[in-house]
Amino acid sequence: MSAKAISEQTGKEFLFKYINTSAAVMNRFRYANVTPETDWNRLTQDHPWLLTERLVVKPDQLIKRRGKLGLVGINLDLQGVKEWLKGHFMKETTVGRAKGVLKNFLIEPFVPHTQDEEFYLCIYATREGDQVLFHHEGGVEVGDVDSKAQRLTVAVDDKLSDAQVKEQLLTHVPDDKKDVLASFIVGLFNLYEDLYFTYLEINPLVLTKDGVYVLDMAAKIDATADFICKAKWGDVEFPPPFGREAYPEEAYIADLDAKSGASLKLTLLNPQGRIWTMVAGGGASVVYSDTICDLGGVDELANYGEYSGAPSEQQTYDYAKTILSLMTREKHPQGKVLIIGGSIANFTNVAATFKGIVRAIKDYQGPLKEHEVSIFVRRGGPNYQEGLRVMGEVGKTTGIPIYVFGTETHMTAIVGMALGHRPIPNLPPVAAHTANFLLNANNSAVTPATTRTASFSEPKTTNDVTPPKRSKAGLPPEAQASSGCSRAKATTLFSKHTKAIVWGMQTRAVQGMLDFDYVCSRDQPSVAAIVYPFTGDHKQKFYWGHKEILLPVYKNMADAMKKHPEVDVMISFASLRSAYDSTLEAMQYPQVHTIAIIAEGIPEAQTRKLIKIADEKGVTIIGPATVGGIKPGCFKIGNTGGMLDNILASKLYRPGSVAYVSRSGGMSNELNNIISRTTDGVYEGVAIGGDRYPGTTFMDHVLRYQDTPGIKMIVVLGEIGGTDEYRICQGIREGRITKPVVCWCIGTCATMFASEVQFGHAGACAHQASETAVAKNQALREAGAYVPKSFDELGDVIKTVYDELVAKGTIIPAQEVPPPTVPMDYSWARELGLIRKPASFMTSICDERGQELIYAGMAITEVFKEEMGIGGVLGLLWFQRRLPRYACQFIEMCLMVTADHGPAVSGAHNTIVCARAGKDLISSLTSGLLTIGDRFGGALDAAAKQFSKAFDSGMLPMEFVNKMKKDGKLIMGIGHRVKSINNPDMRVQILKDFVKQHFPSNQLLDYALEVEKITTSKKPNLILNVDGFIGVAFVDLLRTCGGFTRDEADEFVEIGALNGIFVLGRSMGFIGHYLDQKRLKQGLYRHPWDDISYVLPEHMSM
């Protein structure tokens, strides 16, 4: 959500810090905050003026009209402030219908002044620009400022000047005050723009001979501009509306939301309530809340929230467990219900998100049964059948009553079931997967008109072959024809020949568009190219039906536009940070007449600038914060309409007679479902987006639909917030709109809540009575639109209007044409469990697929919690066991003693030579590692095998030595070039002491030491060297630690595990030598000639 209220203290802090004006702004930063934690002694030390000045005290909790409510203490000393607070601090107070506790107060210096020194000032954002309201009489009794105040509109991207302010706002202000006020107002407006305020009100603004005083202030900022304003804003706290507490769970979900590309929202309304919701989608979440309130559940509704944007299984689990934790803290005498609802998803994998919810239900099954919770589920979208199946299974296994429904059930029907207003039907089990699109699902060519789900009601020659007709909104067709306005927008946005460029590497969305094109029998793909700035130009492989095709990918947009002049649509998947710039760039090319902006969270000020430029250039913008739109049989934007099974189920592969426009992407897919079940289907549908200022409005599209012959009726799904629906009312009254309009505005529940609730969409909040859904529905009904009593009845009203049009002959049912079949992608078929294939690789040591890395079944967080160290990690990854602590320590000691043995050994020498030849780290390290073998460092495995074989066969140490001598073989692990029995290797001594002290048994080591006694008696340097010691000690470790069978221990020796110790340890030393040579800046190594013996070939020397 974008516009968020900030505290008065925060607003004044911004003003005092950043305002640039010649006016003298008084009492800068002179305010003190009082909370339950306040230490008065510390407060007076930090603000000594509290002890000497007269004061004002007031609550700072987003309360309007505090003066009229008697919530302001004026002209008090500090003791008077304390006395005043005794009657208000931590006391429950009623403001309107909201009840809340006063616990955050602001103390400021009292400013003596007269009534004629008080003024009113307000700046707020609208679609066309910013409104500046000024009234020369401010204060508590200011009254209806909308009707009394002077008003000035600053158009988007325009600047405000002192002269404008004086001329249009300060007409009733004395001349001697105009300069100061004009300078302050201009400075405040610039601050408002720079810091992305959306609302800023000062009442009263006091101007005395000393300067300007900002007494009371209310403000909202665009929270989505955090990435732009972070340096100036700092960490802003957004207080909850008065009457609603700030719960830590809300903050937790907000933090999850901030760290996620998905959307996660939670608002607690009544934690003691019995009705809880977990709804997918910003629009659907409002519809469910409306239905609960319509059915009398407003007082028991515990929460509002939504999850959308394809959250991961872990994110959904975290969200679900938060709600389950909250709803199982207090019992309710009637038990509780949890409504897990949603519209038909466009791209969210329903099964994946439901897995997270199922995990949470399993974790909380005890409390859920104890609190007598019943769960009602309704969902549709990709893989929804599997999601519903696992949800039904968890109900059976846990004993929790879980009722599961799919797209065959009206979206909000489960609310009536949950609240006991309608019976719970016994439905047959749903299909096990989403594979219908492999086959033609249509069994009959013609469907009876009354239950019709497929027809073409327009001549096939329209729109597909004619160029787009430009129309001027609000003008009748004949006026448009004569206006000759070259910058008017197109009536027809998409045809069977539309070509698009997709900004962003969204391969799944592009493939979905191509599959839709194919099933619509388009001649060519609708995607001409992809623009992706983060790679070079290349080709990307996609499927066109059964065959593979290549689409070009360009690094910059200029090349894409130049090489594809036929493109007139851009679909932008750019992030919220780059969407503004990429859209500006796209509008530089006259060939582009439609742009869809998918990103959510673009600052409103940037969106308004895009709208202004688009209007000037005749470009239609769909979005931001949208899934896009769809024109059945012609073109779809990105993920609109969901996967092919939904495309077929909703008959979106050919046009019907009904066009719709909604804000919500998820609800647009629900409308596809409703319209396909009640009429001959959709002709075109657009989701304009959930932001306060969408690129195009409801009326823009309704007028297009009015002027499109093939469209016979129009459906509008409006929403709380804004006034665009009133333009539809006006259009109906004036006769500009003559086709039947079925309209419903969601958000009717908002008027029933005691405190303000910001719904999932940024624009879904009423700032005045006319913006409420109830008011808009009434106005539409009075204007002549078909308005149902609730969303539950929307489908019935659509069907009634449609049947009337069929009866009149306006719509003539046509024969269904079956679409071509499209094969399913391998990855999706595997996801659905339809196919199986031998894996190319098998692994049993690590799994990175989930939310957390797993080492041999142990989560990485547990590895650190248990302080397992490098030895413990090696135990998991190499031996698939959690080894005893002494074993982990021994491994780490082995790595330490084998880390290096000087620069002269072959491996280090090779590494050094490579480094000095200018090679990189990996090449130099590899050069050193390649020298490891039986002669250097690779004796661990061989020593372990030789000693084990001799010991296991019962051979005495002397017999072993004699046999090796007789066979002409060296005993691996015996002998050292420098060390001897008289000059022992301290590395071996350290390891020997540790093994003797900690290993439960060391039989093989004892055997090897007996062999050493025999070999050193012949020659002092034939000692058990470090390789041999580690080899035999490791065999003792594997055989006696209790984690392995004898066969398993022998297998690890056989497959070369022990040499890995030397390789890993010595890699540390080789890297050290490489870094050392680079640090010393050593040049190319050339071996000195005097260290080489040059000899003739043997036959010549003879």
Side-chain angles (χ1 to χ4, degrees):
M1 56 193 74
S2 52
K4 284 189 176 182
I6 54 176
S7 67
E8 182 175 3
Q9 179 178 340
T10 302
K12 286 182 174 178
E13 183 178 337
F14 288 168
L15 188 151
F16 294 147
K17 272 186 182 179
Y18 301 116
I19 193 167
N20 184 9
T21 174
S22 61
V25 179
M26 310 302 290
N27 283 344
R28 285 177 181 256
F29 305 107
R30 300 186 80 195
Y31 43 72
N33 181 239
V34 179
T35 68
E37 293 78 33
T38 296
D39 180 336
W40 284 95
N41 292 328
R42 178 65 183 271
L43 194 69
T44 53
Q45 287 176 15
D46 294 342
H47 306 283
W49 50 268
L50 290 171
L51 299 169
T52 59
E53 298 193 28
R54 305 298 292 179
L55 305 170
V56 173
V57 58
K58 56 192 173 184
D60 187 8
Q61 291 178 235
L62 308 185
I63 300 173
K64 300 175 181 177
R65 295 178 288 279
R66 291 170 294 187
K68 283 197 169 186
L69 294 169
L71 295 178
V72 182
I74 300 174
N75 196 13
L76 307 170
D77 59 13
L78 184 59
Q79 187 56 40
V81 167
K82 292 180 179 180
E83 290 296 323
W84 187 89
L85 284 172
K86 284 181 181 178
H88 297 86
F89 193 60
M90 298 306 292
K91 299 292 174 64
E92 186 174 82
T93 302
T94 301
V95 177
R97 290 190 298 154
K99 287 184 179 180
V101 176
L102 299 174
K103 54 186 176 183
N104 190 45
F105 288 82
L106 206 58
I107 306 174
E108 296 176 309
F110 171 69
V111 180
H113 62 276
T114 59
Q115 177 61 44
D116 62 356
E117 293 174 323
E118 290 189 348
F119 303 94
Y120 174 88
L121 178 61
C122 180
I123 310 172
Y124 63 91
T126 64
R127 184 182 180 85
E128 296 75 22
D130 296 295
Q131 303 290 323
V132 185
L133 273 63
F134 179 86
H135 193 46
H136 61 285
E137 296 174 345
V140 177
E141 303 298 333
V142 67
D144 183 8
V145 290
D146 282 332
S147 60
K148 296 195 303 187
Q150 303 294 110
R151 185 183 299 266
L152 189 158
T153 301
V154 184
V156 173
D157 244 6
D158 283 2
K159 292 297 178 184
L160 182 64
S161 67
D162 288 30
Q164 285 177 293
V165 172
K166 291 177 186 177
E167 181 182 340
Q168 298 185 46
L169 295 180
L170 306 183
T171 52
H172 301 297
V173 173
D175 291 341
D176 62 329
K177 296 183 177 180
K178 284 185 177 180
D179 287 343
V180 176
L181 279 173
S183 175
F184 178 80
I185 292 171
V186 170
L188 189 70
F189 183 83
N190 291 336
L191 168 87
Y192 166 94
E193 281 196 322
D194 292 344
L195 267 66
Y196 284 73
F197 280 83
T198 61
Y199 181 86
L200 203 167
E201 180 187 53
I202 301 173
N203 181 39
L205 173 70
V206 171
L207 176 59
T208 70
K209 58 182 177 55
D210 299 321
V212 176
Y213 294 87
V214 178
L215 295 197
D216 287 345
M217 180 177 176
K220 293 182 179 182
I221 58 176
D222 185 348
T224 60
D226 180 70
F227 70 96
I228 300 171
C229 300
K230 181 71 172 180
K232 290 186 176 181
W233 285 356
D235 294 323
V236 182
E237 287 190 20
F238 298 103
F242 182 73
R244 208 172 63 230
E245 293 298 315
Y247 293 92
E249 291 82 5
E250 293 176 335
Y252 171 69
I253 296 300
D255 184 57
L256 284 181
D257 179 63
K259 295 174 181 175
S260 164
S263 176
L264 301 165
K265 305 287 188 296
L266 176 63
T267 299
L268 288 175
L269 304 172
N270 173 19
Q272 289 77 40
R274 67 178 293 262
I275 305 168
W276 292 76
T277 65
M278 196 185 308
V279 179
S285 60
V286 180
V287 172
Y288 276 96
S289 298
D290 284 350
T291 309
I292 290 167
C293 294
D294 287 344
L295 296 179
V298 62
D299 293 330
E300 290 290 351
L301 181 57
N303 72 307
Y304 167 78
E306 60 103 0
Y307 65 95
S308 57
S312 67
E313 179 185 332
Q314 183 64 36
Q315 289 163 347
T316 315
Y317 168 75
D318 292 336
Y319 184 78
K321 74 175 184 182
T322 303
I323 291 177
L324 298 184
S325 168
L326 286 164
M327 73 180 299
T328 53
R329 292 180 187 177
E330 296 185 31
K331 288 188 177 181
H332 194 284
Q334 295 175 263
K336 296 185 178 182
V337 295
L338 173 61
I339 295 170
I340 302 176
S343 56
I344 301 172
N346 288 287
F347 56 91
T348 299
N349 185 335
V350 175
T353 55
F354 272 17
K355 284 178 184 175
I357 297 175
V358 164
R359 275 176 57 199
I361 290 173
K362 287 179 178 177
D363 288 352
Y364 280 85
Q365 58 182 294
L368 287 171
K369 286 191 279 191
E370 183 185 342
H371 287 75
E372 300 178 65
V373 175
S374 298
I375 300 176
F376 292 80
V377 183
R378 190 275 185 182
R379 194 73 164 105
N383 208 5
Y384 80 93
Q385 292 94 334
E386 174 65 12
L388 297 181
R389 186 192 67 78
V390 298
M391 196 67 79
E393 284 297 319
V394 78
K396 294 174 184 176
T397 56
T398 61
I400 300 168
I402 299 181
Y403 306 97
V404 176
F405 305 91
T407 55
E408 76 291 333
T409 302
H410 185 70
M411 191 177 96
T412 52
I414 59 170
V415 177
M417 300 177 202
L419 303 188
H421 291 272
R422 66 166 72 191
I424 302 171
N426 291 317
L427 292 176
V430 297
H433 51 71
T434 319
N436 327 32
F437 60 87
L438 283 166
L439 303 171
N440 178 13
N442 189 33
N443 295 322
S444 62
V446 182
T447 311
T450 53
T451 59
R452 183 157 185 77
T453 57
S455 83
F456 304 90
S457 56
E458 64 163 332
K460 292 185 178 180
T461 55
T462 63
N463 294 337
D464 286 347
V465 293
T466 56
K469 181 176 68 174
R470 300 267 172 180
S471 67
K472 190 170 184 179
L475 292 181
E478 58 272 16
Q480 295 167 14
S482 62
S483 68
C485 179
S486 62
R487 294 186 177 181
K489 297 182 180 180
T491 296
T492 302
L493 301 183
F494 315 114
S495 74
K496 270 207 168 190
H497 309 293
T498 295
K499 288 278 190 173
I501 283 176
V502 174
W503 199 104
M505 189 56 71
Q506 291 285 328
T507 53
R508 179 178 170 184
V510 171
Q511 186 60 64
M513 291 176 67
L514 300 187
D515 288 343
F516 176 80
D517 297 339
Y518 189 82
V519 84
C520 291
S521 301
R522 276 184 60 126
D523 296 329
Q524 294 181 335
S526 59
V527 180
I530 297 169
V531 174
Y532 192 58
F534 307 106
T535 62
D537 292 0
H538 65 282
K539 303 281 188 181
Q540 186 76 25
K541 188 166 63 174
F542 291 95
Y543 287 102
W544 177 250
H546 298 259
K547 66 180 182 180
E548 292 180 321
I549 60 172
L550 296 174
L551 290 183
V553 180
Y554 299 96
K555 186 175 177 63
N556 63 74
M557 196 180 298
D559 290 343
M561 294 293 181
K562 183 179 178 180
K563 293 181 180 180
H564 301 278
E566 75 280 10
V567 164
D568 59 4
V569 175
M570 188 185 87
I571 301 169
S572 174
F573 284 95
S575 72
L576 62 92
R577 291 171 177 79
S578 58
Y580 175 73
D581 291 331
S582 59
T583 305
L584 277 183
E585 184 184 1
M587 285 195 285
Q588 294 175 8
Y589 302 97
Q591 69 193 75
V592 175
H593 74 65
T594 305
I595 299 174
I597 307 173
I598 309 301
E600 181 178 1
I602 300 173
E604 290 177 355
Q606 291 186 343
T607 302
R608 292 190 302 163
K609 290 177 184 178
L610 293 177
I611 292 169
K612 180 181 179 181
I613 296 169
D615 288 344
E616 292 170 353
K617 293 179 176 290
V619 175
T620 297
I621 292 181
I622 297 173
T626 182
V627 71
I630 190 166
K631 188 171 183 181
C634 294
F635 183 84
K636 82 165 184 146
I637 296 171
N639 295 301
T640 310
M643 296 190 66
L644 269 184
D645 65 313
N646 189 65
I647 298 290
L648 294 181
S650 296
K651 304 295 171 70
L652 297 175
Y653 50 84
R654 86 295 179 278
S657 307
V658 184
Y660 70 81
V661 57
S662 90
R663 277 187 170 274
S664 164
M667 289 306 298
S668 70
N669 216 7
E670 194 63 41
L671 286 176
N672 290 331
N673 180 48
I674 293 171
I675 291 170
S676 71
R677 290 175 181 274
T678 55
T679 73
D680 66 348
V682 175
Y683 181 95
E684 184 177 346
V686 172
I688 61 174
D691 283 359
R692 281 214 297 170
Y693 308 119
T696 45
T697 64
F698 286 132
M699 190 60 168
D700 292 332
H701 294 285
V702 169
L703 289 175
R704 285 198 308 106
Y705 297 159
Q706 172 66 32
D707 296 337
T708 302
I711 296 171
K712 305 304 181 185
M713 62 180 285
I714 301 167
V715 176
V716 178
L717 189 64
E719 191 169 275
I720 180 177
T723 58
D724 192 41
E725 290 86 350
Y726 290 104
R727 293 184 60 205
I728 299 175
C729 298
Q730 183 181 353
I732 295 172
R733 288 197 193 96
E734 294 176 354
R736 178 66 181 91
I737 302 170
T738 57
K739 293 178 180 177
V741 178
V742 178
C743 190
W744 175 251
C745 295
I746 65 175
T748 53
C749 61
T751 53
M752 304 182 193
F753 296 146
S755 60
E756 181 183 288
V757 174
Q758 171 65 61
F759 294 110
H761 293 156
C765 187
H767 300 286
Q768 53 192 24
S770 62
E771 293 188 13
T772 63
V774 172
K776 290 195 279 191
N777 283 330
Q778 183 61 30
L780 286 159
R781 190 176 287 113
E782 292 171 357
Y786 295 86
V787 181
K789 294 178 182 177
S790 68
F791 181 82
D792 259 356
E793 297 183 5
L794 179 62
D796 296 336
V797 173
I798 291 172
K799 185 177 187 310
T800 299
V801 174
Y802 171 78
D803 287 345
E804 288 175 1
L805 292 174
V806 171
K808 291 177 184 177
T810 306
I811 295 176
I812 301 173
Q815 187 172 0
E816 180 69 55
V817 178
T821 59
V822 179
M824 183 183 292
D825 283 348
Y826 169 79
S827 58
W828 187 244
R830 189 175 60 179
E831 171 79 22
L832 299 176
L834 299 178
I835 59 173
R836 63 186 182 188
K837 162 188 174 293
S840 301
F841 291 97
M842 292 181 69
T843 181
S844 59
I845 63 167
C846 184
D847 190 343
E848 81 287 5
R849 295 170 300 172
Q851 190 74 11
E852 190 173 351
L853 184 64
I854 304 292
Y855 286 165
M858 190 172 191
I860 190 68
T861 51
E862 289 298 313
V863 171
F864 281 93
K865 189 185 295 183
E866 298 290 333
E867 298 181 348
M868 296 183 66
I870 294 295
V873 170
L874 279 184
L876 294 173
L877 295 180
W878 289 16
F879 306 110
Q880 300 176 308
R881 301 287 193 281
R882 183 172 179 180
L883 299 177
R885 183 64 192 153
Y886 72 84
C888 298
Q889 287 179 282
F890 179 70
I891 291 174
E892 291 174 5
M893 291 174 71
C894 292
L895 295 176
M896 293 163 70
V897 300
T898 58
D900 196 48
H901 204 215
V905 297
S906 58
H909 180 82
N910 265 25
T911 301
I912 291 170
V913 171
C914 250
R916 292 180 60 171
K919 303 297 283 185
D920 61 275
L921 172 64
I922 304 301
S923 301
S924 302
L925 174 61
T926 304
S927 173
L929 291 175
L930 287 174
T931 66
I932 297 176
D934 287 347
R935 296 188 178 184
F936 166 63
L940 278 76
D941 281 332
K945 291 174 184 177
Q946 285 183 356
F947 282 102
S948 298
K949 184 176 180 181
F951 176 77
D952 294 341
S953 65
M955 203 179 288
L956 295 174
M958 181 61 76
E959 291 175 326
F960 171 55
V961 173
N962 291 337
K963 184 176 187 308
M964 295 301 287
K965 183 178 180 180
K966 181 180 179 182
D967 293 344
K969 295 180 180 178
L970 295 173
I971 301 176
M972 305 305 293
I974 291 290
H976 199 283
R977 186 168 183 175
V978 178
K979 299 297 180 181
S980 67
I981 194 71
N982 302 313
N983 178 26
D985 188 341
M986 293 309 298
R987 297 178 299 171
V988 174
Q989 192 61 46
I990 291 168
L991 293 174
K992 188 191 301 182
D993 292 343
F994 182 86
V995 170
K996 293 287 188 181
Q997 182 179 351
H998 294 93
F999 279 28
S1001 175
N1002 41 266
Q1003 289 180 314
L1004 189 59
L1005 174 59
D1006 290 340
Y1007 183 83
L1009 292 175
E1010 290 298 318
V1011 171
E1012 182 189 47
K1013 289 178 182 177
I1014 297 169
T1015 55
T1016 52
S1017 67
K1018 298 181 179 182
K1019 200 172 182 181
N1021 68 332
L1022 294 179
I1023 60 171
L1024 182 64
N1025 60 34
V1026 71
D1027 292 356
F1029 183 91
I1030 293 174
V1032 296
F1034 231 105
V1035 173
D1036 280 334
L1037 173 66
L1038 294 172
R1039 290 181 175 184
T1040 63
C1041 72
F1044 307 93
T1045 65
R1046 177 64 175 270
D1047 289 342
E1048 287 173 336
D1050 291 345
E1051 183 182 24
F1052 279 115
V1053 174
E1054 191 62 35
I1055 61 180
L1058 305 191
N1059 269 354
I1061 296 291
F1062 183 85
V1063 170
L1064 184 58
R1066 193 52 59 93
S1067 292
M1068 293 189 283
F1070 291 168
I1071 291 171
H1073 285 296
Y1074 169 85
L1075 297 175
D1076 186 49
Q1077 295 300 309
K1078 293 294 185 182
R1079 188 168 51 247
L1080 295 173
K1081 297 180 172 56
Q1082 294 295 288
L1084 179 67
Y1085 174 80
R1086 180 180 175 87
H1087 201 74
W1089 62 266
D1090 58 357
D1091 192 34
I1092 302 172
S1093 179
Y1094 293 91
V1095 296
L1096 290 171
E1098 190 174 334
H1099 71 280
M1100 295 179 66
S1101 62
M1102 291 177 62

